[in-house]
Amino acid sequence: MRPSDSSLDLVGKCLIAMPDMPDARFQSSVIFICAHSAEGAMGLIVNKCVEDVKLADLMDQLSIPKGTTRADWPIYFGGPVEHGRGFVLHSAEYRSELSSMDTGEGFAMTATIDILEDIGAGNGPEKALIALGYAGWGPGQLEGELANNGWLVSDAGSDVIFDTPDSKKWSAALGAIGIDPAILSSSGGRA
């Protein structure tokens, strides 16, 4: 796959960091790709929680009534770009009145405050992952990283994204493409 390959569409796929990922922020990461075009790509890390921040804290800060929301619902480190901005990756049955973006079969993303209000009121999506920040790539950058064996690509399953414990998402995503993490080499080759 060449960096200029315009037929590549990764929306709704997961990127799985290779074992030798040099950037510590992305080591052992699973990233759900929400947008991908000739202008670049955007995704959310789905297996790294922000320490000591829960949904109840975020809702308090934004003065949103919590209703029956679980106080311990985790907030994720979505990536190093705009880490003060929130994104909710969720099941596709929920649609925000303001804006929800389709992000692959069975998934959508909403980045407006109304989804948090709906979650607090008990009217939110069936499944959701709330992230601060995102991972972003400029034109051709992600394609270059893929060509240099920085990432593996897998189909994103709702079970991996929403139901698997964070500590097991990386190996579960690898397993979804038939790779045993114990035998994954940290150095890739080219045919």
mmCIF file with all atom_site columns, all heavy atoms in Angstrom, residues 68-91:
data_model
loop_
_atom_site.group_PDB
_atom_site.id
_atom_site.type_symbol
_atom_site.label_atom_id
_atom_site.label_alt_id
_atom_site.label_comp_id
_atom_site.label_asym_id
_atom_site.label_entity_id
_atom_site.label_seq_id
_atom_site.pdbx_PDB_ins_code
_atom_site.Cartn_x
_atom_site.Cartn_y
_atom_site.Cartn_z
_atom_site.occupancy
_atom_site.B_iso_or_equiv
_atom_site.pdbx_formal_charge
_atom_site.auth_seq_id
_atom_site.auth_comp_id
_atom_site.auth_asym_id
_atom_site.auth_atom_id
_atom_site.pdbx_PDB_model_num
ATOM 1   N N   . THR A 1 68 ? -29.149 9.369  36.692 1.00 0.00 ? 68 THR A N   1
ATOM 2   C CA  . THR A 1 68 ? -28.739 8.052  37.196 1.00 0.00 ? 68 THR A CA  1
ATOM 3   C C   . THR A 1 68 ? -27.441 7.570  36.547 1.00 0.00 ? 68 THR A C   1
ATOM 4   O O   . THR A 1 68 ? -27.124 6.387  36.605 1.00 0.00 ? 68 THR A O   1
ATOM 5   C CB  . THR A 1 68 ? -29.851 7.025  36.929 1.00 0.00 ? 68 THR A CB  1
ATOM 6   O OG1 . THR A 1 68 ? -30.098 6.974  35.518 1.00 0.00 ? 68 THR A OG1 1
ATOM 7   C CG2 . THR A 1 68 ? -31.129 7.381  37.670 1.00 0.00 ? 68 THR A CG2 1
ATOM 8   N N   . THR A 1 69 ? -26.687 8.477  35.959 1.00 0.00 ? 69 THR A N   1
ATOM 9   C CA  . THR A 1 69 ? -25.433 8.116  35.299 1.00 0.00 ? 69 THR A CA  1
ATOM 10  C C   . THR A 1 69 ? -24.468 7.486  36.287 1.00 0.00 ? 69 THR A C   1
ATOM 11  O O   . THR A 1 69 ? -24.315 7.959  37.411 1.00 0.00 ? 69 THR A O   1
ATOM 12  C CB  . THR A 1 69 ? -24.765 9.378  34.693 1.00 0.00 ? 69 THR A CB  1
ATOM 13  O OG1 . THR A 1 69 ? -25.697 10.005 33.816 1.00 0.00 ? 69 THR A OG1 1
ATOM 14  C CG2 . THR A 1 69 ? -23.513 9.026  33.936 1.00 0.00 ? 69 THR A CG2 1
ATOM 15  N N   . ARG A 1 70 ? -23.811 6.413  35.842 1.00 0.00 ? 70 ARG A N   1
ATOM 16  C CA  . ARG A 1 70 ? -22.787 5.778  36.678 1.00 0.00 ? 70 ARG A CA  1
ATOM 17  C C   . ARG A 1 70 ? -21.674 6.782  36.967 1.00 0.00 ? 70 ARG A C   1
ATOM 18  O O   . ARG A 1 70 ? -21.046 7.303  36.055 1.00 0.00 ? 70 ARG A O   1
ATOM 19  C CB  . ARG A 1 70 ? -22.176 4.583  35.952 1.00 0.00 ? 70 ARG A CB  1
ATOM 20  C CG  . ARG A 1 70 ? -22.962 3.339  35.996 1.00 0.00 ? 70 ARG A CG  1
ATOM 21  C CD  . ARG A 1 70 ? -22.240 2.140  35.372 1.00 0.00 ? 70 ARG A CD  1
ATOM 22  N NE  . ARG A 1 70 ? -20.818 2.274  35.249 1.00 0.00 ? 70 ARG A NE  1
ATOM 23  C CZ  . ARG A 1 70 ? -20.124 1.927  34.161 1.00 0.00 ? 70 ARG A CZ  1
ATOM 24  N NH1 . ARG A 1 70 ? -20.734 1.439  33.116 1.00 0.00 ? 70 ARG A NH1 1
ATOM 25  N NH2 . ARG A 1 70 ? -18.821 2.067  34.128 1.00 0.00 ? 70 ARG A NH2 1
ATOM 26  N N   . ALA A 1 71 ? -21.401 7.015  38.222 1.00 0.00 ? 71 ALA A N   1
ATOM 27  C CA  . ALA A 1 71 ? -20.376 7.986  38.620 1.00 0.00 ? 71 ALA A CA  1
ATOM 28  C C   . ALA A 1 71 ? -18.972 7.550  38.201 1.00 0.00 ? 71 ALA A C   1
ATOM 29  O O   . ALA A 1 71 ? -18.098 8.376  37.983 1.00 0.00 ? 71 ALA A O   1
ATOM 30  C CB  . ALA A 1 71 ? -20.428 8.209  40.124 1.00 0.00 ? 71 ALA A CB  1
ATOM 31  N N   . ASP A 1 72 ? -18.759 6.244  38.054 1.00 0.00 ? 72 ASP A N   1
ATOM 32  C CA  . ASP A 1 72 ? -17.415 5.736  37.759 1.00 0.00 ? 72 ASP A CA  1
ATOM 33  C C   . ASP A 1 72 ? -17.155 5.492  36.271 1.00 0.00 ? 72 ASP A C   1
ATOM 34  O O   . ASP A 1 72 ? -16.156 4.898  35.895 1.00 0.00 ? 72 ASP A O   1
ATOM 35  C CB  . ASP A 1 72 ? -17.164 4.447  38.539 1.00 0.00 ? 72 ASP A CB  1
ATOM 36  C CG  . ASP A 1 72 ? -18.084 3.308  38.106 1.00 0.00 ? 72 ASP A CG  1
ATOM 37  O OD1 . ASP A 1 72 ? -19.140 3.572  37.478 1.00 0.00 ? 72 ASP A OD1 1
ATOM 38  O OD2 . ASP A 1 72 ? -17.749 2.150  38.402 1.00 0.00 ? 72 ASP A OD2 1
ATOM 39  N N   . TRP A 1 73 ? -18.045 5.958  35.399 1.00 0.00 ? 73 TRP A N   1
ATOM 40  C CA  . TRP A 1 73 ? -17.883 5.772  33.962 1.00 0.00 ? 73 TRP A CA  1
ATOM 41  C C   . TRP A 1 73 ? -16.564 6.421  33.538 1.00 0.00 ? 73 TRP A C   1
ATOM 42  O O   . TRP A 1 73 ? -16.352 7.609  33.771 1.00 0.00 ? 73 TRP A O   1
ATOM 43  C CB  . TRP A 1 73 ? -19.053 6.403  33.249 1.00 0.00 ? 73 TRP A CB  1
ATOM 44  C CG  . TRP A 1 73 ? -19.283 5.961  31.832 1.00 0.00 ? 73 TRP A CG  1
ATOM 45  C CD1 . TRP A 1 73 ? -18.409 5.325  31.002 1.00 0.00 ? 73 TRP A CD1 1
ATOM 46  C CD2 . TRP A 1 73 ? -20.474 6.149  31.078 1.00 0.00 ? 73 TRP A CD2 1
ATOM 47  N NE1 . TRP A 1 73 ? -18.978 5.110  29.786 1.00 0.00 ? 73 TRP A NE1 1
ATOM 48  C CE2 . TRP A 1 73 ? -20.242 5.597  29.789 1.00 0.00 ? 73 TRP A CE2 1
ATOM 49  C CE3 . TRP A 1 73 ? -21.697 6.734  31.345 1.00 0.00 ? 73 TRP A CE3 1
ATOM 50  C CZ2 . TRP A 1 73 ? -21.197 5.623  28.794 1.00 0.00 ? 73 TRP A CZ2 1
ATOM 51  C CZ3 . TRP A 1 73 ? -22.649 6.741  30.335 1.00 0.00 ? 73 TRP A CZ3 1
ATOM 52  C CH2 . TRP A 1 73 ? -22.407 6.200  29.077 1.00 0.00 ? 73 TRP A CH2 1
ATOM 53  N N   . PRO A 1 74 ? -15.643 5.667  32.905 1.00 0.00 ? 74 PRO A N   1
ATOM 54  C CA  . PRO A 1 74 ? -14.318 6.219  32.592 1.00 0.00 ? 74 PRO A CA  1
ATOM 55  C C   . PRO A 1 74 ? -14.342 7.222  31.442 1.00 0.00 ? 74 PRO A C   1
ATOM 56  O O   . PRO A 1 74 ? -15.217 7.203  30.587 1.00 0.00 ? 74 PRO A O   1
ATOM 57  C CB  . PRO A 1 74 ? -13.506 4.983  32.201 1.00 0.00 ? 74 PRO A CB  1
ATOM 58  C CG  . PRO A 1 74 ? -14.520 4.026  31.685 1.00 0.00 ? 74 PRO A CG  1
ATOM 59  C CD  . PRO A 1 74 ? -15.781 4.269  32.487 1.00 0.00 ? 74 PRO A CD  1
ATOM 60  N N   . ILE A 1 75 ? -13.341 8.083  31.443 1.00 0.00 ? 75 ILE A N   1
ATOM 61  C CA  . ILE A 1 75 ? -13.080 9.012  30.345 1.00 0.00 ? 75 ILE A CA  1
ATOM 62  C C   . ILE A 1 75 ? -11.767 8.556  29.718 1.00 0.00 ? 75 ILE A C   1
ATOM 63  O O   . ILE A 1 75 ? -10.802 8.249  30.420 1.00 0.00 ? 75 ILE A O   1
ATOM 64  C CB  . ILE A 1 75 ? -12.953 10.468 30.859 1.00 0.00 ? 75 ILE A CB  1
ATOM 65  C CG1 . ILE A 1 75 ? -14.226 10.900 31.593 1.00 0.00 ? 75 ILE A CG1 1
ATOM 66  C CG2 . ILE A 1 75 ? -12.618 11.406 29.707 1.00 0.00 ? 75 ILE A CG2 1
ATOM 67  C CD1 . ILE A 1 75 ? -15.483 10.944 30.746 1.00 0.00 ? 75 ILE A CD1 1
ATOM 68  N N   . TYR A 1 76 ? -11.724 8.519  28.400 1.00 0.00 ? 76 TYR A N   1
ATOM 69  C CA  . TYR A 1 76 ? -10.553 8.007  27.692 1.00 0.00 ? 76 TYR A CA  1
ATOM 70  C C   . TYR A 1 76 ? -9.664  9.122  27.163 1.00 0.00 ? 76 TYR A C   1
ATOM 71  O O   . TYR A 1 76 ? -10.138 10.215 26.854 1.00 0.00 ? 76 TYR A O   1
ATOM 72  C CB  . TYR A 1 76 ? -11.005 7.114  26.524 1.00 0.00 ? 76 TYR A CB  1
ATOM 73  C CG  . TYR A 1 76 ? -11.531 5.792  27.008 1.00 0.00 ? 76 TYR A CG  1
ATOM 74  C CD1 . TYR A 1 76 ? -12.823 5.677  27.498 1.00 0.00 ? 76 TYR A CD1 1
ATOM 75  C CD2 . TYR A 1 76 ? -10.723 4.660  27.020 1.00 0.00 ? 76 TYR A CD2 1
ATOM 76  C CE1 . TYR A 1 76 ? -13.297 4.469  27.982 1.00 0.00 ? 76 TYR A CE1 1
ATOM 77  C CE2 . TYR A 1 76 ? -11.191 3.458  27.500 1.00 0.00 ? 76 TYR A CE2 1
ATOM 78  C CZ  . TYR A 1 76 ? -12.475 3.369  27.983 1.00 0.00 ? 76 TYR A CZ  1
ATOM 79  O OH  . TYR A 1 76 ? -12.944 2.180  28.467 1.00 0.00 ? 76 TYR A OH  1
ATOM 80  N N   . PHE A 1 77 ? -8.369  8.806  27.054 1.00 0.00 ? 77 PHE A N   1
ATOM 81  C CA  . PHE A 1 77 ? -7.411  9.657  26.362 1.00 0.00 ? 77 PHE A CA  1
ATOM 82  C C   . PHE A 1 77 ? -7.576  9.330  24.885 1.00 0.00 ? 77 PHE A C   1
ATOM 83  O O   . PHE A 1 77 ? -7.113  8.300  24.408 1.00 0.00 ? 77 PHE A O   1
ATOM 84  C CB  . PHE A 1 77 ? -5.986  9.354  26.839 1.00 0.00 ? 77 PHE A CB  1
ATOM 85  C CG  . PHE A 1 77 ? -4.911  9.976  25.986 1.00 0.00 ? 77 PHE A CG  1
ATOM 86  C CD1 . PHE A 1 77 ? -4.726  11.349 25.985 1.00 0.00 ? 77 PHE A CD1 1
ATOM 87  C CD2 . PHE A 1 77 ? -4.082  9.193  25.183 1.00 0.00 ? 77 PHE A CD2 1
ATOM 88  C CE1 . PHE A 1 77 ? -3.741  11.932 25.199 1.00 0.00 ? 77 PHE A CE1 1
ATOM 89  C CE2 . PHE A 1 77 ? -3.096  9.763  24.398 1.00 0.00 ? 77 PHE A CE2 1
ATOM 90  C CZ  . PHE A 1 77 ? -2.928  11.136 24.402 1.00 0.00 ? 77 PHE A CZ  1
ATOM 91  N N   . GLY A 1 78 ? -8.320  10.171 24.164 1.00 0.00 ? 78 GLY A N   1
ATOM 92  C CA  . GLY A 1 78 ? -8.610  9.904  22.760 1.00 0.00 ? 78 GLY A CA  1
ATOM 93  C C   . GLY A 1 78 ? -7.429  10.144 21.845 1.00 0.00 ? 78 GLY A C   1
ATOM 94  O O   . GLY A 1 78 ? -7.378  9.620  20.738 1.00 0.00 ? 78 GLY A O   1
ATOM 95  N N   . GLY A 1 79 ? -6.471  10.941 22.314 1.00 0.00 ? 79 GLY A N   1
ATOM 96  C CA  . GLY A 1 79 ? -5.289  11.237 21.521 1.00 0.00 ? 79 GLY A CA  1
ATOM 97  C C   . GLY A 1 79 ? -4.725  12.589 21.918 1.00 0.00 ? 79 GLY A C   1
ATOM 98  O O   . GLY A 1 79 ? -5.335  13.331 22.694 1.00 0.00 ? 79 GLY A O   1
ATOM 99  N N   . PRO A 1 80 ? -3.562  12.923 21.373 1.00 0.00 ? 80 PRO A N   1
ATOM 100 C CA  . PRO A 1 80 ? -2.860  14.127 21.804 1.00 0.00 ? 80 PRO A CA  1
ATOM 101 C C   . PRO A 1 80 ? -3.328  15.436 21.179 1.00 0.00 ? 80 PRO A C   1
ATOM 102 O O   . PRO A 1 80 ? -2.860  16.507 21.562 1.00 0.00 ? 80 PRO A O   1
ATOM 103 C CB  . PRO A 1 80 ? -1.411  13.839 21.404 1.00 0.00 ? 80 PRO A CB  1
ATOM 104 C CG  . PRO A 1 80 ? -1.533  12.942 20.211 1.00 0.00 ? 80 PRO A CG  1
ATOM 105 C CD  . PRO A 1 80 ? -2.754  12.100 20.463 1.00 0.00 ? 80 PRO A CD  1
ATOM 106 N N   . VAL A 1 81 ? -4.257  15.389 20.225 1.00 0.00 ? 81 VAL A N   1
ATOM 107 C CA  . VAL A 1 81 ? -4.721  16.603 19.552 1.00 0.00 ? 81 VAL A CA  1
ATOM 108 C C   . VAL A 1 81 ? -5.983  17.113 20.254 1.00 0.00 ? 81 VAL A C   1
ATOM 109 O O   . VAL A 1 81 ? -6.898  16.349 20.527 1.00 0.00 ? 81 VAL A O   1
ATOM 110 C CB  . VAL A 1 81 ? -5.018  16.330 18.057 1.00 0.00 ? 81 VAL A CB  1
ATOM 111 C CG1 . VAL A 1 81 ? -5.450  17.615 17.358 1.00 0.00 ? 81 VAL A CG1 1
ATOM 112 C CG2 . VAL A 1 81 ? -3.804  15.717 17.364 1.00 0.00 ? 81 VAL A CG2 1
ATOM 113 N N   . GLU A 1 82 ? -6.006  18.407 20.548 1.00 0.00 ? 82 GLU A N   1
ATOM 114 C CA  . GLU A 1 82 ? -7.159  19.059 21.189 1.00 0.00 ? 82 GLU A CA  1
ATOM 115 C C   . GLU A 1 82 ? -7.652  18.266 22.400 1.00 0.00 ? 82 GLU A C   1
ATOM 116 O O   . GLU A 1 82 ? -8.834  17.948 22.512 1.00 0.00 ? 82 GLU A O   1
ATOM 117 C CB  . GLU A 1 82 ? -8.306  19.269 20.184 1.00 0.00 ? 82 GLU A CB  1
ATOM 118 C CG  . GLU A 1 82 ? -7.977  20.279 19.103 1.00 0.00 ? 82 GLU A CG  1
ATOM 119 C CD  . GLU A 1 82 ? -9.202  20.652 18.273 1.00 0.00 ? 82 GLU A CD  1
ATOM 120 O OE1 . GLU A 1 82 ? -10.234 20.994 18.865 1.00 0.00 ? 82 GLU A OE1 1
ATOM 121 O OE2 . GLU A 1 82 ? -9.094  20.599 17.032 1.00 0.00 ? 82 GLU A OE2 1
ATOM 122 N N   . HIS A 1 83 ? -6.750  17.988 23.335 1.00 0.00 ? 83 HIS A N   1
ATOM 123 C CA  . HIS A 1 83 ? -7.096  17.141 24.479 1.00 0.00 ? 83 HIS A CA  1
ATOM 124 C C   . HIS A 1 83 ? -8.101  17.777 25.445 1.00 0.00 ? 83 HIS A C   1
ATOM 125 O O   . HIS A 1 83 ? -8.581  17.107 26.346 1.00 0.00 ? 83 HIS A O   1
ATOM 126 C CB  . HIS A 1 83 ? -5.841  16.670 25.213 1.00 0.00 ? 83 HIS A CB  1
ATOM 127 C CG  . HIS A 1 83 ? -4.994  17.777 25.734 1.00 0.00 ? 83 HIS A CG  1
ATOM 128 N ND1 . HIS A 1 83 ? -4.051  18.398 24.965 1.00 0.00 ? 83 HIS A ND1 1
ATOM 129 C CD2 . HIS A 1 83 ? -4.978  18.373 26.930 1.00 0.00 ? 83 HIS A CD2 1
ATOM 130 C CE1 . HIS A 1 83 ? -3.479  19.349 25.680 1.00 0.00 ? 83 HIS A CE1 1
ATOM 131 N NE2 . HIS A 1 83 ? -4.018  19.356 26.868 1.00 0.00 ? 83 HIS A NE2 1
ATOM 132 N N   . GLY A 1 84 ? -8.490  19.006 25.207 1.00 0.00 ? 84 GLY A N   1
ATOM 133 C CA  . GLY A 1 84 ? -9.538  19.627 26.006 1.00 0.00 ? 84 GLY A CA  1
ATOM 134 C C   . GLY A 1 84 ? -10.917 19.490 25.369 1.00 0.00 ? 84 GLY A C   1
ATOM 135 O O   . GLY A 1 84 ? -11.914 19.915 25.931 1.00 0.00 ? 84 GLY A O   1
ATOM 136 N N   . ARG A 1 85 ? -10.974 18.879 24.208 1.00 0.00 ? 85 ARG A N   1
ATOM 137 C CA  . ARG A 1 85 ? -12.237 18.721 23.481 1.00 0.00 ? 85 ARG A CA  1
ATOM 138 C C   . ARG A 1 85 ? -12.754 17.298 23.642 1.00 0.00 ? 85 ARG A C   1
ATOM 139 O O   . ARG A 1 85 ? -11.992 16.334 23.596 1.00 0.00 ? 85 ARG A O   1
ATOM 140 C CB  . ARG A 1 85 ? -12.007 19.026 22.004 1.00 0.00 ? 85 ARG A CB  1
ATOM 141 C CG  . ARG A 1 85 ? -13.253 19.038 21.191 1.00 0.00 ? 85 ARG A CG  1
ATOM 142 C CD  . ARG A 1 85 ? -13.004 19.602 19.809 1.00 0.00 ? 85 ARG A CD  1
ATOM 143 N NE  . ARG A 1 85 ? -14.216 19.442 19.025 1.00 0.00 ? 85 ARG A NE  1
ATOM 144 C CZ  . ARG A 1 85 ? -14.241 19.371 17.721 1.00 0.00 ? 85 ARG A CZ  1
ATOM 145 N NH1 . ARG A 1 85 ? -13.138 19.489 17.026 1.00 0.00 ? 85 ARG A NH1 1
ATOM 146 N NH2 . ARG A 1 85 ? -15.379 19.213 17.090 1.00 0.00 ? 85 ARG A NH2 1
ATOM 147 N N   . GLY A 1 86 ? -14.068 17.148 23.814 1.00 0.00 ? 86 GLY A N   1
ATOM 148 C CA  . GLY A 1 86 ? -14.648 15.837 24.039 1.00 0.00 ? 86 GLY A CA  1
ATOM 149 C C   . GLY A 1 86 ? -15.303 15.243 22.807 1.00 0.00 ? 86 GLY A C   1
ATOM 150 O O   . GLY A 1 86 ? -15.844 15.957 21.963 1.00 0.00 ? 86 GLY A O   1
ATOM 151 N N   . PHE A 1 87 ? -15.240 13.925 22.736 1.00 0.00 ? 87 PHE A N   1
ATOM 152 C CA  . PHE A 1 87 ? -15.824 13.156 21.647 1.00 0.00 ? 87 PHE A CA  1
ATOM 153 C C   . PHE A 1 87 ? -16.491 11.928 22.249 1.00 0.00 ? 87 PHE A C   1
ATOM 154 O O   . PHE A 1 87 ? -15.941 11.319 23.161 1.00 0.00 ? 87 PHE A O   1
ATOM 155 C CB  . PHE A 1 87 ? -14.750 12.701 20.650 1.00 0.00 ? 87 PHE A CB  1
ATOM 156 C CG  . PHE A 1 87 ? -13.990 13.830 20.028 1.00 0.00 ? 87 PHE A CG  1
ATOM 157 C CD1 . PHE A 1 87 ? -12.852 14.338 20.649 1.00 0.00 ? 87 PHE A CD1 1
ATOM 158 C CD2 . PHE A 1 87 ? -14.418 14.398 18.839 1.00 0.00 ? 87 PHE A CD2 1
ATOM 159 C CE1 . PHE A 1 87 ? -12.154 15.398 20.090 1.00 0.00 ? 87 PHE A CE1 1
ATOM 160 C CE2 . PHE A 1 87 ? -13.715 15.467 18.281 1.00 0.00 ? 87 PHE A CE2 1
ATOM 161 C CZ  . PHE A 1 87 ? -12.583 15.966 18.909 1.00 0.00 ? 87 PHE A CZ  1
ATOM 162 N N   . VAL A 1 88 ? -17.640 11.562 21.723 1.00 0.00 ? 88 VAL A N   1
ATOM 163 C CA  . VAL A 1 88 ? -18.311 10.352 22.191 1.00 0.00 ? 88 VAL A CA  1
ATOM 164 C C   . VAL A 1 88 ? -18.473 9.413  21.005 1.00 0.00 ? 88 VAL A C   1
ATOM 165 O O   . VAL A 1 88 ? -19.165 9.723  20.034 1.00 0.00 ? 88 VAL A O   1
ATOM 166 C CB  . VAL A 1 88 ? -19.681 10.665 22.828 1.00 0.00 ? 88 VAL A CB  1
ATOM 167 C CG1 . VAL A 1 88 ? -20.330 9.372  23.341 1.00 0.00 ? 88 VAL A CG1 1
ATOM 168 C CG2 . VAL A 1 88 ? -19.534 11.673 23.966 1.00 0.00 ? 88 VAL A CG2 1
ATOM 169 N N   . LEU A 1 89 ? -17.793 8.277  21.084 1.00 0.00 ? 89 LEU A N   1
ATOM 170 C CA  . LEU A 1 89 ? -17.973 7.200  20.115 1.00 0.00 ? 89 LEU A CA  1
ATOM 171 C C   . LEU A 1 89 ? -19.094 6.337  20.675 1.00 0.00 ? 89 LEU A C   1
ATOM 172 O O   . LEU A 1 89 ? -19.052 5.945  21.844 1.00 0.00 ? 89 LEU A O   1
ATOM 173 C CB  . LEU A 1 89 ? -16.683 6.397  19.976 1.00 0.00 ? 89 LEU A CB  1
ATOM 174 C CG  . LEU A 1 89 ? -16.719 5.214  19.012 1.00 0.00 ? 89 LEU A CG  1
ATOM 175 C CD1 . LEU A 1 89 ? -16.963 5.687  17.579 1.00 0.00 ? 89 LEU A CD1 1
ATOM 176 C CD2 . LEU A 1 89 ? -15.428 4.419  19.110 1.00 0.00 ? 89 LEU A CD2 1
ATOM 177 N N   . HIS A 1 90 ? -20.103 6.057  19.866 1.00 0.00 ? 90 HIS A N   1
ATOM 178 C CA  . HIS A 1 90 ? -21.263 5.367  20.416 1.00 0.00 ? 90 HIS A CA  1
ATOM 179 C C   . HIS A 1 90 ? -21.930 4.473  19.382 1.00 0.00 ? 90 HIS A C   1
ATOM 180 O O   . HIS A 1 90 ? -21.625 4.523  18.185 1.00 0.00 ? 90 HIS A O   1
ATOM 181 C CB  . HIS A 1 90 ? -22.271 6.378  20.980 1.00 0.00 ? 90 HIS A CB  1
ATOM 182 C CG  . HIS A 1 90 ? -22.714 7.423  20.016 1.00 0.00 ? 90 HIS A CG  1
ATOM 183 N ND1 . HIS A 1 90 ? -23.757 7.241  19.142 1.00 0.00 ? 90 HIS A ND1 1
ATOM 184 C CD2 . HIS A 1 90 ? -22.246 8.688  19.780 1.00 0.00 ? 90 HIS A CD2 1
ATOM 185 C CE1 . HIS A 1 90 ? -23.933 8.340  18.406 1.00 0.00 ? 90 HIS A CE1 1
ATOM 186 N NE2 . HIS A 1 90 ? -23.023 9.232  18.779 1.00 0.00 ? 90 HIS A NE2 1
ATOM 187 N N   . SER A 1 91 ? -22.866 3.669  19.894 1.00 0.00 ? 91 SER A N   1
ATOM 188 C CA  . SER A 1 91 ? -23.662 2.804  19.025 1.00 0.00 ? 91 SER A CA  1
ATOM 189 C C   . SER A 1 91 ? -24.552 3.679  18.143 1.00 0.00 ? 91 SER A C   1
ATOM 190 O O   . SER A 1 91 ? -24.969 4.765  18.538 1.00 0.00 ? 91 SER A O   1
ATOM 191 C CB  . SER A 1 91 ? -24.473 1.824  19.868 1.00 0.00 ? 91 SER A CB  1
ATOM 192 O OG  . SER A 1 91 ? -25.143 2.488  20.927 1.00 0.00 ? 91 SER A OG  1
#
